[in-house]
Amino acid sequence: MSARRNEWIRGALSLALAVLLVAGCAAPGTYGDPTERGRDVPATQQPDKAAEPELSAPPAVVALLEQAEEASAAGEHDRAAALLERALRIDPRNAVLWHNLAVVRYRQGEYAQADSMAQRSLQHLSGRSDLQKRNWQLIAVSRELAGDTAGAAQARERLSTFGAASGQ
Amino acid sequence: MTKSRSRRRSGKSRTVSAPRRGWWRWMLLLGLLLLAVMGAYAAWLDHTVRSQFEGKRWSVPATVYARALELHQGQRLTRRQLELELEALGYSQGADTRQPGTWRASGSGIELSSRPFTHWDGHEPSQRLHLTFADGRINMLRRLDGSAVSLARLDPAVIGHIYPGHREDRLLVRLEDVPPTLIAGLVVVEDRAFFQHAGISPSAIARAAAANLRAGRVVQGGSTITQQLVKNFYLSSDRTFWRKGNEAIMALLLEARYDKEDILETYLNEVYLAQDGDRAIHGFGLASQHFFGTELARLSLEQQALLIALVRGPSFYHPRRHEQRALARRNLVLDLMSEQGVISRDAARVASSRPLGLRPARTGPRASYPAFMDLVQRHLLRDYQREDLQTEGLRIFTTFAPSVQHATEAAIQERLRDQPVDVEAAAVIVDVDSGEVMALVGGRNPRYAGFNRALDARRPVGSLIKPAVYLAALDQPARYGLGSLLEDVPLTVTDERGRPWEPRNFDRTFRGQVSLVDALAYSYNIPTIRLGQEIGLSTVGRTVERLGAPTPRTLYPSYLIGTGELTPLQVAQVYQTLASGGYRSPLRAVREVTGQDGTPLSRYSLAVDRVFDPASVQLVNLALVEATRRGTGRDIYRYLPSGLTMAGKTGTTDETRDSWFAGFGADRLGVVWLGRDDNAPTGFTGSSGALPIWGVAMAAIEPAPYADVLAPELEWVWIDGESGARSAEGCEGARRLAYRVDAAPEEWTACGQRVAQREEGGGLGGWIRGLWR
């Protein structure tokens, strides 16, 4: 994989993921409301809303999610990660928390961790949802950046089942 | 050269000079020599003074904290557990909770006033909280004023210090953070001329001498603050003439080199003020925390006066042991302060009428956790020098959970009470999803800081290894499912010495054929060895390594039933990977390290490696649930409620030398080992020795049940136990087992096929997929 291509992917994805994390944290208790979702996914390609899982979280987790969002926006990745880890100790099977931690790890350049954590997020999701798609996007790019071309291709294949807007 | 020349010269002079002149020359030489020696000595003292004063003045031990308990509504926490946590924190139970660090029972709940604390990621103010409990959870959490709290974090309990040889502790303060009244009061009481003298105070010495003469004994010291500092800082405490002389010279040197503010600040941090168990409390900063539970800048006038009073005699005026004496001395200090105009007469009168204002005393002695502290130090020594841990005043935030530790220690003590003294035990409790070590016991006496068996006892693991064999098999869904039949007939393999070996099942019977799930749940040896050989020893070895444990260089068939040696902590790592569904998180004991001022230094973040397909791991875990429902681990329900689904495995080695149990639910994993240090048999199997300890501990820990919600890749199917073929609900011998979608057996029993065809008209049976494959 060429270095230039790497650059390109990094640039494109850091933009997309910046939106991702904020969306993940924006709506208390749920993963992004439809208006948030509309921002990076064209309306025609949005997944069936009925399939969107209801991810309600206890207020304690929501409070930590919000703080993590602030920290992440301020570029304090370590602090954001610490807050998300605290939230995970309260709610270890929360797919949004795992996803957001994966995004923080991605931003820290820890692609293998981003990959594993996004998969962990997927494990706690059923059906087909926007969050699943975002996890696969993150996995694909993390693998690409970690030099795992074959793994990235597999993730893209999964991504393609979500429709044309696969984030590439 | 010089020497010989001078000798020649002196020799010459002897011949020409009168004896009188020679005597003078000798005196001069001697005088010069003496001066040189004194000069050298002064230079050496000067060097001592400077190097100590400018270099690292104090070694401040690292403080090690437990994890801070977070409270929120719905949290799994019993009232008893919270009480244990408060006990570890040294909160005192009282009639009210006005003071931070107190609690009281309130109806069926608890009311508490938390201490403020600056955590790694922010400050948590003191809060007065009210909690109630129901069904093992917090069902209400509010402030005392009725307002809602989504999340409250308590201060973390101090669980130990990392000391160098001597056990001095201090909390450094800067001069500008010390109340001016405290400084002025200290000067008034200890050394009135401090800001004028040059290190020693002749007038003070004269005054003291006169007073001592009058009294006929030593009632007053003439030492200046500088001299006191020198004494504490550089000199031993013996009262010799030499020491007094050195003290004076060094005091003069110190004053000549440094300004008053430096000397005063150093004094404030150096002076010994109290003893806390085997820990010496030095400096006003830590003394303020020790006696009042707050920082120096927040002390009231009478509290400041008490600390000043203690300088003269920390044990003589001990405010808890000698309350009246301490009160009298404190009021004397207040009088002196008003006499000298530091405070007004009124202020002194008001302050004198107040009580001592001590924080509530700790209830009970502070427990020590040598095994866990050992783990913390080993963890940190990867990144820190030992000396830095002992001297830099680091604050170490760990994963330790006091109530979980208490439950584990109590279980070991209860179960070993009637056992011979040399039956030893070790235990590890881990948070499943994060890999955080919550509790660690290294021997049957948890206070004894000796051989740490949890970390250092490498023992054969027996059947605890078997889940790895079955995971290696179930990770090949085309070949193996939970219903696959394994041969259980006599078997001869070659052992490590090249001799034939006939392994046996524990009960020494052969069953002909057993299903894979039963072979693991009932821990049969022969089917396990056959299975391991079918998959290949090296595949099993790689599986163990991916799970997180080392393997021997050469593997023999006996490895499949547990001749490999692991420590309890390594076993915990293997089972953590299983319990979290194939996501290995390296076990951790430390979360964060900060400097003494709270500056973050390092963070050990959660790491997750997906090392196995979660579906494969879940199949193994379901077999381990079967083991506790019907198999070798079923005795756990003598200790746990029958509805609490858990996955677990027993392990026993030759002639009962080692007794193991490893088991987990959704959030907690426990590993217990029992055995003797000299490797002699104990008479305990895994289920009679380690299992009850695990059970008693878990009953108090109250873990969340293992969640047997199937992974999306899995589905429930009915399998005929006898033939391993596909069957249906209601057919004889049919049992429900989890299979990968599309990987269920293709063969059907006659009954199964009939039922499936009947259902075809109604719902879509899973069998259609089978037909179309």
Side-chain angles (χ1 to χ4, degrees):
Chain A
M1 192 171 53
S2 76
R4 203 201 284 161
R5 180 143 180 245
N6 234 331
E7 268 311 286
W8 180 85
I9 293 172
R10 201 191 297 266
L13 256 293
S14 60
L15 242 175
L17 287 170
V19 180
L20 263 183
L21 184 79
V22 172
C25 301
T30 57
Y31 181 78
D33 63 6
T35 51
E36 283 291 337
R37 229 186 288 137
R39 234 191 253 169
D40 61 329
V41 183
T44 47
Q45 273 124 19
Q46 275 186 28
D48 182 10
K49 268 180 205 150
E52 192 78 6
E54 266 301 301
L55 292 171
S56 61
V61 169
V62 176
L64 289 169
L65 257 173
E66 285 169 358
Q67 289 178 47
E69 183 207 344
E70 283 165 27
S72 189
E76 298 174 34
H77 299 311
D78 254 4
R79 200 175 123 77
L83 288 160
L84 289 168
E85 286 177 29
R86 276 177 71 194
L88 275 170
R89 286 197 282 272
I90 295 170
D91 193 7
R93 282 164 176 72
N94 185 317
V96 176
L97 294 177
W98 281 111
H99 174 78
N100 283 7
L101 192 55
V103 173
V104 171
R105 288 281 183 267
Y106 170 86
R107 288 176 170 185
Q108 292 176 311
E110 293 191 31
Y111 303 120
Q113 283 299 311
D115 181 349
S116 275
M117 286 171 175
Q119 291 193 62
R120 195 95 194 241
S121 173
L122 283 166
Q123 205 194 336
H124 301 300
L125 289 166
S126 56
R128 294 165 54 80
S129 68
D130 197 32
L131 185 53
Q132 279 185 322
K133 184 174 145 189
R134 287 173 170 177
N135 277 314
W136 282 115
Q137 284 174 337
L138 188 57
I139 292 166
V141 186
S142 295
R143 287 180 180 171
E144 195 90 36
L145 290 171
D148 175 11
T149 322
Q154 277 177 4
R156 287 243 165 65
E157 206 172 298
R158 293 297 296 264
L159 205 46
S160 65
T161 64
F162 287 88
S166 51
Q168 287 174 61
Chain B
M1 275 273 257
T2 328
K3 228 174 170 185
S4 67
R5 206 188 303 145
S6 71
R7 199 195 293 160
R8 210 181 308 136
R9 214 182 325 164
S10 63
K12 208 195 271 172
S13 65
R14 207 188 293 164
T15 55
V16 287
S17 315
R20 238 176 95 92
R21 272 180 78 190
W23 184 79
W24 271 109
R25 277 176 180 265
W26 273 107
M27 283 302 287
L28 192 67
L29 201 68
L30 206 69
L32 281 172
L33 206 68
L34 204 69
L35 218 63
V37 168
M38 276 178 64
Y41 185 64
W44 176 74
L45 285 182
D46 186 49
H47 173 77
T48 312
V49 165
R50 273 168 54 201
S51 63
Q52 187 115 12
F53 204 83
E54 280 165 23
K56 195 185 296 167
R57 292 180 202 181
W58 299 286
S59 52
V60 183
T63 304
V64 182
Y65 295 94
R67 61 101 177 81
L69 184 65
E70 308 222 29
L71 303 169
H72 56 91
Q73 199 163 332
Q75 177 188 1
R76 299 185 75 89
L77 187 78
T78 63
R79 188 190 152 137
R80 170 77 185 132
Q81 285 169 340
L82 179 58
E83 285 180 11
L84 286 167
E85 295 282 342
L86 295 177
E87 195 179 297
L89 276 163
Y91 278 37
S92 59
Q93 190 177 4
D96 66 68
T97 58
R98 264 174 301 194
Q99 249 188 306
T102 54
W103 71 278
R104 72 186 188 98
S106 160
S108 63
I110 280 181
E111 189 184 304
L112 66 88
S113 178
S114 71
R115 296 195 197 114
F117 192 84
T118 303
H119 297 268
W120 183 85
D121 57 350
H123 185 76
E124 195 86 21
S126 170
Q127 298 193 73
R128 292 180 73 182
L129 302 168
H130 183 211
L131 304 92
T132 58
F133 302 86
D135 303 324
R137 290 174 185 274
I138 297 177
N139 79 333
M140 193 270 295
L141 170 67
R142 286 212 194 109
R143 289 199 190 84
L144 222 51
D145 62 20
S147 59
V149 187
S150 59
L151 183 62
R153 186 158 42 157
L154 300 185
D155 52 317
V158 174
I159 57 167
H161 300 271
I162 301 175
Y163 293 102
H166 56 90
R167 305 202 139 199
E168 285 183 20
D169 201 0
R170 47 171 60 77
L171 187 65
L172 299 182
V173 292
R174 286 172 308 174
L175 200 57
E176 59 261 38
D177 298 330
V178 181
T181 42
L182 194 153
I183 293 170
L186 182 73
V187 167
V188 160
V189 173
E190 289 297 323
D191 182 4
R192 243 167 257 184
F194 176 71
F195 287 106
Q196 289 86 44
H197 64 63
I200 51 176
S201 170
S203 62
I205 294 171
R207 205 169 43 239
N212 293 349
L213 218 61
R214 265 200 308 278
R217 62 193 167 92
V218 180
V219 292
Q220 198 175 330
S223 288
T224 62
I225 279 179
T226 320
Q227 280 172 292
Q228 289 183 37
L229 175 61
V230 163
K231 189 174 69 184
N232 290 346
F233 219 23
Y234 307 105
L235 302 168
S236 63
S237 58
D238 46 316
R239 288 170 166 257
T240 63
F241 173 76
W242 258 118
R243 210 217 60 198
K244 270 282 168 199
N246 278 340
E247 185 185 296
I249 298 170
M250 289 169 95
L252 290 167
L253 287 168
L254 203 62
E255 291 277 354
R257 291 230 171 247
Y258 304 100
D259 58 28
K260 292 283 180 188
E261 281 70 30
D262 269 351
I263 292 169
L264 192 60
E265 185 178 275
T266 310
Y267 179 85
L268 287 166
N269 283 310
E270 169 55 35
V271 67
Y272 167 71
L273 288 170
Q275 192 68 35
D276 177 29
D278 60 355
R279 182 171 78 129
I281 309 283
H282 283 257
F284 281 81
L286 189 59
S288 171
Q289 288 290 345
H290 178 67
F291 286 114
F292 309 116
T294 180
E295 57 202 85
L296 201 52
R298 297 188 184 198
L299 292 191
S300 64
L301 207 52
E302 69 272 13
Q303 287 173 321
Q304 295 172 26
L306 181 63
L307 292 185
I308 297 169
L310 286 172
V311 171
R312 199 47 77 79
S315 67
F316 189 78
Y317 297 111
H318 194 288
R320 287 194 214 283
R321 261 176 282 145
H322 311 293
E323 199 184 329
Q324 285 314 311
R325 222 185 261 168
L327 200 67
R329 170 95 188 147
R330 182 200 75 179
N331 291 348
L332 177 70
V333 169
L334 287 167
D335 284 349
L336 283 170
M337 285 168 80
S338 80
E339 240 170 61
Q340 297 294 316
V342 175
I343 52 173
S344 71
R345 212 154 266 293
D346 283 347
R349 199 168 43 242
V350 170
S352 291
S353 67
R354 293 238 175 89
L356 288 175
L358 300 175
R359 82 171 199 188
R362 293 188 58 85
T363 46
R366 180 173 284 159
S368 64
Y369 307 103
F372 189 83
M373 291 288 286
D374 184 20
L375 178 63
V376 167
Q377 292 199 43
R378 289 194 209 188
H379 184 148
L380 290 173
L381 284 174
R382 288 182 225 151
D383 301 318
Y384 291 85
Q385 300 290 319
R386 185 177 295 278
E387 203 204 325
D388 292 344
L389 295 178
Q390 295 170 338
T391 62
E392 295 289 339
L394 301 179
R395 306 203 310 161
I396 296 160
F397 296 94
T398 73
T399 58
F400 186 82
S403 55
V404 177
Q405 176 77 15
H406 183 276
T408 314
E409 288 179 5
I412 288 176
Q413 263 148 17
E414 180 191 322
R415 298 297 306 185
L416 290 188
R417 194 176 297 133
D418 304 323
Q419 293 305 319
V421 287
D422 63 338
V423 173
E424 277 294 350
V428 186
I429 310 286
V430 169
D431 180 70
V432 163
D433 286 295
S434 63
E436 292 187 340
V437 179
M438 305 182 83
L440 193 79
V441 182
R444 70 187 282 173
N445 176 3
R447 301 281 89 77
Y448 175 67
F451 184 42
N452 191 347
R453 292 165 192 83
L455 272 53
D456 294 326
R458 283 171 43 84
R459 308 288 296 224
V461 296
S463 302
L464 288 194
I465 203 71
K466 286 178 184 165
V469 181
Y470 288 83
L471 175 58
L474 291 164
D475 208 28
Q476 303 177 19
R479 290 176 74 189
Y480 301 102
L482 288 177
S484 303
L485 292 178
L486 304 176
E487 298 260 302
D488 185 15
V489 293
L491 170 75
T492 308
V493 291
T494 311
D495 74 4
E496 56 268 39
R497 275 165 282 184
R499 294 181 306 200
W501 170 51
E502 290 178 37
R504 288 181 307 214
N505 290 325
F506 191 76
D507 61 2
R508 302 182 182 204
T509 56
F510 301 99
R511 286 166 189 79
Q513 276 192 323
V514 291
S515 64
L516 189 144
V517 58
D518 286 346
L520 181 53
Y522 293 92
S523 203
Y524 298 138
N525 288 336
I526 293 170
T528 306
I529 293 171
R530 284 181 182 278
L531 182 65
Q533 288 194 307
E534 265 175 43
I535 315 158
L537 279 168
S538 60
T539 308
V540 174
R542 274 200 305 279
T543 304
V544 172
E545 278 160 19
R546 275 158 78 194
L547 286 168
T551 53
R553 206 170 307 145
T554 323
L555 296 175
Y556 298 97
S558 60
Y559 180 77
L560 298 166
I561 55 169
T563 52
E565 295 174 346
L566 295 176
T567 66
L569 194 72
Q570 288 171 330
V571 170
Q573 178 70 73
V574 166
Y575 277 79
Q576 184 278 326
T577 310
L578 291 175
S580 69
Y583 291 89
R584 185 181 66 212
S585 290
L587 299 190
R588 288 178 303 155
V590 180
R591 286 181 186 166
E592 288 106 15
V593 178
T594 75
Q596 197 173 20
D597 57 356
T599 323
L601 296 179
S602 23
R603 206 176 92 75
Y604 297 93
S605 53
L606 169 66
V608 166
D609 286 306
R610 187 184 189 274
V611 290
F612 281 101
D613 183 338
S616 305
V617 176
Q618 189 171 25
L619 292 175
V620 174
N621 291 349
L622 289 169
L624 294 178
V625 167
E626 202 63 14
T628 62
R629 290 239 175 89
R630 276 175 280 275
T632 49
R634 62 186 174 274
D635 280 356
I636 67 167
Y637 292 108
R638 288 163 69 171
Y639 312 96
L640 296 175
S642 59
L644 189 72
T645 302
M646 297 295 266
K649 187 76 200 79
T650 52
T652 313
T653 63
D654 279 355
E655 297 174 61
T656 66
R657 293 176 202 278
D658 302 276
S659 163
W660 291 92
F661 192 80
F664 54 87
D667 58 354
R668 301 286 174 261
L669 152 71
V671 174
V672 177
W673 168 85
L674 211 71
R676 287 189 156 99
D677 289 341
D678 64 2
N679 214 12
T682 58
F684 285 119
T685 62
S687 64
S688 70
L691 180 149
I693 293 176
W694 184 93
V696 171
M698 281 295 174
I701 292 168
E702 302 214 18
Y706 176 81
D708 48 6
V709 181
L710 290 192
E713 299 86 355
L714 300 180
E715 62 179 349
W716 293 110
V717 296
W718 291 87
I719 299 289
D720 181 54
E722 198 89 332
S723 62
R726 197 76 189 271
S727 183
E729 190 172 5
C731 292
E732 200 186 321
R735 62 195 291 196
R736 203 179 66 139
L737 293 174
Y739 264 81
R740 265 171 206 275
V741 175
D742 295 347
E746 289 173 26
E747 303 78 33
W748 285 78
T749 61
C751 169
Q753 205 145 24
R754 260 199 319 279
V755 175
Q757 274 163 0
R758 210 183 309 135
E759 279 179 357
E760 193 187 356
L764 281 172
W767 70 280
I768 291 181
R769 279 197 293 268
L771 291 178
W772 284 74
R773 202 166 48 165

